[in-house]
Amino acid sequence: MKKHFLKQIFTSSVIMMFLVQVIYVYLEPSEVTAATAPDSVVVSLTVDSGITITTPTDVTMAPNIGISSDGSIGTVLWTVKTNKTTGYSLGVKASASPALVSGANSFTDYTETTNGTPEFWSVASGQKEFGYSAFGTDVTGLGLWGTGANCGSGSTPNATLKYVGFKAADKTVATRNTVTPTTGIDTTVCFAAQQNGVYVASGTYTATITATATEI
């Protein structure tokens, strides 16, 4: 009888332990893992390149050339803006050769010792010539156009600038290989005309000069 009683107790204990474990398993908090379905997108934006150049007013050179004045200078400033990664170039050219004319009369395009290479202003006796120089942050070539930062004084071209004659094809005066500031980059072109030991026929002389800013 005692053995039977002990066996019942043992069996009851085992059953109770089993029930406790079952209850624990069901009641124990469990971590729920949600199903996922990931995706990604690529966002793209195109920034178009562009370039602008200002349109300054026409230039009146001063003083007038005549019997009492042999020289005259003029100034124009162009501002270029571009967001092109590789930058821009600025070229200038004349619409005709010679550039500065009045009817059948004209100034000779400035003649350099080495054709196309800027040099300090000098007009030989018996000649009448018209040329230009440039200065600014992006003006090409270290010292190519001289070191001046103005076009001169009175009727005298800046003695520290170097000049060339206009051609019918673009000559690069400024360039850069990066984006410009939003304010742009200024380039000043200086015009100079002189008669030396000869009179230029009276009249109104004009030259059409075109500046072209090009993405590079």
Side-chain angles (χ1 to χ4, degrees):
M1 181 66 120
K2 185 178 182 181
K3 287 183 179 182
H4 180 71
F5 178 74
L6 290 174
K7 185 176 180 180
Q8 285 183 330
I9 294 175
F10 176 77
T11 302
S12 298
S13 298
V14 170
I15 293 172
M16 288 298 295
M17 290 177 63
F18 175 76
L19 290 174
V20 168
Q21 288 179 343
V22 170
I23 293 171
Y24 177 80
V25 169
Y26 277 98
L27 295 181
E28 181 185 27
S30 61
E31 182 179 340
V32 178
T33 303
T36 61
D39 181 49
S40 61
V41 297
V42 175
V43 179
S44 64
L45 168 65
T46 298
V47 177
D48 295 328
S49 66
I51 191 165
T52 65
I53 186 171
T54 52
T55 55
T57 58
D58 293 339
V59 179
T60 299
M61 298 181 67
N64 295 346
I65 288 178
I67 291 177
S68 59
S69 177
D70 291 329
S72 184
I73 60 177
T75 302
V76 66
L77 184 151
W78 279 290
T79 302
V80 176
K81 300 178 183 181
T82 185
N83 65 345
K84 186 66 180 289
T85 305
T86 49
Y88 77 96
S89 65
L90 176 66
V92 295
K93 66 180 179 181
S95 63
S97 181
L100 190 61
V101 299
S102 176
N105 301 309
S106 63
F107 283 74
T108 301
D109 293 323
Y110 187 75
T111 53
E112 313 89 26
T113 302
T114 302
N115 186 40
T117 301
E119 64 180 41
F120 296 117
W121 183 261
S122 177
V123 175
S125 179
Q127 301 299 313
K128 49 195 184 225
E129 298 189 0
F130 171 68
Y132 71 100
S133 185
F135 65 86
T137 303
D138 290 347
V139 167
T140 54
L142 182 62
L144 177 66
W145 296 89
T147 58
N150 61 70
C151 290
S153 177
S155 63
T156 306
N158 190 318
T160 63
L161 289 176
K162 295 181 180 181
Y163 301 78
V164 293
F166 279 103
K167 300 293 189 292
D170 279 320
K171 182 176 181 65
T172 300
V173 294
T175 186
R176 77 161 41 206
N177 58 9
T178 61
V179 171
T180 67
T182 57
T183 52
I185 295 294
D186 295 340
T187 296
T188 299
V189 173
C190 301
F191 305 105
Q194 183 182 344
Q195 61 182 12
N196 186 2
V198 63
Y199 286 140
V200 176
S202 63
T204 299
Y205 289 74
T206 60
T208 300
I209 307 302
T210 301
T212 303
T214 306
E215 295 176 354
I216 57 176

